[in-house]
Amino acid sequence: MRNLLLTISFDGSNYHGWQVQENAITVQQTLQDAYERICGVRDNITGCSRTDSGVHANMYCCNIRTEKEIDCGKLTGALNAVLPDDIAVKSCAEVGYDFHARYDCKSKEYIYQIWNSENKHPFLYKYSLHHKYPLDEVFLSRCAKEFTGTHDFSAFCAAGSSVEDKVRTVSYAGLERDGDMVTFRVEADGFLYNMVRIMVGTLLGISCGKITESVGDIIESRDRERAGITAPPEGLFLNKIVY
Amino acid sequence: MRNLLLTISFDGSNYHGWQVQENAITVQQTLQDAYERICGVRDNITGCSRTDSGVHANMYCCNIRTEKEIDCGKLTGALNAVLPDDIAVKSCAEVGYDFHARYDCKSKEYIYQIWNSENKHPFLYKYSLHHKYPLDEVFLSRCAKEFTGTHDFSAFCAAGSSVEDKVRTVSYAGLERDGDMVTFRVEADGFLYNMVRIMVGTLLGISCGKITESVGDIIESRDRERAGITAPPEGLFLNKIVY
């Protein structure tokens, strides 16, 4: 039995997230269909994380335990030929049998793109949130710094999450500007459901004055009501996975 | 009677080009619908050029002759609010009554993006041609230079064009590389039907050795058969209009 680690990237615009669902096209299902077409077997593909509808990945990892003796380079090429244009396999490598794409993940980095201009950008609307009002990325980076450290992030977790332990360690959180594009970047050992999108909604709430509490106070409250709205999915990219 | 010059940009992926057609959604029709919704009248909108299905525009100009007394800034804002996300109005200005977006155009610049990598790019497939084989952009720029000057471009015009005079003056043609993205840029006083896409197909034909004639000889032949294939539309952007 072999274990293959696939590293992929995808434009999530046309998918209902990673995880297989009934009556909706997902990345996992599309990848499993392509794999089955090539290998003739339906091996399960285990992803590093769930992602929401419309969320993108510059880097996403998954593993496949299989009896199949296919060469890694050939599998990469064949998958890329069979997969739609919006999913790309970047690499395939053989890993130890025990490796698990989700459980063995040491940290993840997300980015969230905010198109900060009065003008619409007709090529970026699927890849960024359009925010017309001024954003002071230096001030907001100072606010975002309060996300770093080990905290109970209950205030930044969507209602309905079944996860009990809401303590996560954020190693980096900050914003950078490149012209009219402001990018929020956050790295942690794990993320709760909608955590990054609520972080972004909170920073935007602070920016426009709707939220007057500090990020630290909101974290401490563990109260979802005190954080900001859940920013829309299209600006969010899973950007890096560390094992 | 006023005459308004609108400068727009659009992602052409979802449109059957600029020009109104029966049974197909076009940019012109979408813009006229939005304008009618705001102004209550269906004034004709005259574009600077036809564009093909799937072709994009970083800059596109059109003019509207109207009795309507709407302020230019307000019209811009209202159109952007009503138009879909993939069409943006960049500006609106009042011009002389005789101004015509197509006839008064002195030159146009197109760019054609070629994603030159063995790897698929899941975010660029609608905005570039994926070319996996090596491209020597310095050599191809030398070939492209033969496009410059005043020539009969019959060899670079799609069959079925009703235009009689096929003489055009190309003021610039060349390629630049930025990492794995190679961009062909061409500026001329006018373009024939599919001219830029046939230029790109010819350069790619020369690159892979399928075409052994020089660009100059192909131009001189006036024979469409001797030029390359028509490159696909998704890499093409109307980039600049000069009046």
Side-chain angles (χ1 to χ4, degrees), chain A residues 9-10 80 84-85 87 120 122-123, chain B residues 9-10 80 84 87 120 122-123:
Chain A
S9 62
F10 58 83
N80 279 327
D85 291 330
I87 303 178
K120 282 164 81 172
F123 299 103
Chain B
S9 62
F10 58 83
N80 278 326
I87 304 178
K120 282 165 82 172
F123 299 104

Side-chain angles (χ1 to χ4, degrees), chain A residues 226-242:
Chain A
R226 284 158 80 171
I229 58 157
T230 304
E234 59 267 21
L236 188 60
F237 293 70
L238 184 49
N239 199 50
K240 205 169 67 182
I241 312 287
V242 179

Side-chain angles (χ1 to χ4, degrees), chain A residues 9 80 85 88 90, chain B residues 112-135 175-184 200 204 232 234-237:
Chain A
S9 62
N80 279 327
D85 291 330
K90 299 168 95 167
Chain B
Y112 192 98
Q113 297 197 148
I114 303 166
W115 174 246
N116 185 216
S117 163
E118 286 191 25
N119 301 317
K120 282 165 82 172
H121 195 311
F123 299 104
L124 291 178
Y125 69 97
K126 284 181 183 171
Y127 309 113
S128 59
L129 166 67
H130 185 192
H131 187 80
K132 292 184 187 183
Y133 309 102
L135 280 184
L175 291 92
E176 299 142 50
R177 175 182 290 278
D178 180 7
D180 287 334
M181 186 63 91
V182 174
T183 302
F184 173 63
V200 171
L204 294 177
E234 59 267 20
L236 187 61
F237 293 70

Side-chain angles (χ1 to χ4, degrees), chain B residues 2-64:
Chain B
R2 305 162 74 206
N3 193 2
L4 305 178
L5 167 62
L6 284 188
T7 303
I8 68 172
S9 62
F10 58 83
D11 178 336
S13 307
N14 299 322
Y15 297 97
H16 286 255
W18 164 260
Q19 184 125 329
V20 167
Q21 290 177 36
E22 270 186 54
N23 306 320
I25 295 173
T26 65
V27 178
Q28 185 184 28
Q29 182 204 316
T30 306
L31 193 57
Q32 285 187 171
D33 288 350
Y35 177 86
E36 185 177 1
R37 206 172 132 191
I38 294 159
C39 296
V41 288
R42 195 156 184 96
D43 290 317
N44 188 53
I45 303 185
T46 306
C48 60
S49 128
R50 292 188 181 196
T51 63
D52 287 336
S53 276
V55 171
H56 314 290
N58 289 323
M59 180 176 178
Y60 188 97
C61 293
C62 49
N63 71 293
I64 314 173

Side-chain angles (χ1 to χ4, degrees), chain B residues 50-122:
Chain B
R50 292 188 181 196
T51 63
D52 287 336
S53 276
V55 171
H56 314 290
N58 289 323
M59 180 176 178
Y60 188 97
C61 293
C62 49
N63 71 293
I64 314 173
R65 294 208 175 105
T66 182
E67 304 278 2
K68 202 77 198 173
E69 283 303 323
I70 190 164
D71 170 79
C72 280
K74 274 189 189 146
L75 181 59
T76 301
L79 282 171
N80 278 326
V82 167
L83 283 166
D85 291 329
D86 51 11
I87 304 178
V89 177
K90 298 168 96 166
S91 68
C92 173
E94 198 146 354
V95 289
Y97 183 72
D98 288 340
F99 176 86
H100 189 285
R102 185 152 143 237
Y103 301 145
D104 288 342
C105 176
K106 289 211 171 55
S107 80
K108 290 191 191 103
E109 181 185 83
Y110 280 93
I111 59 170
Y112 192 98
Q113 297 197 148
I114 303 166
W115 174 246
N116 185 216
S117 163
E118 286 191 25
N119 301 317
K120 282 165 82 172
H121 195 311

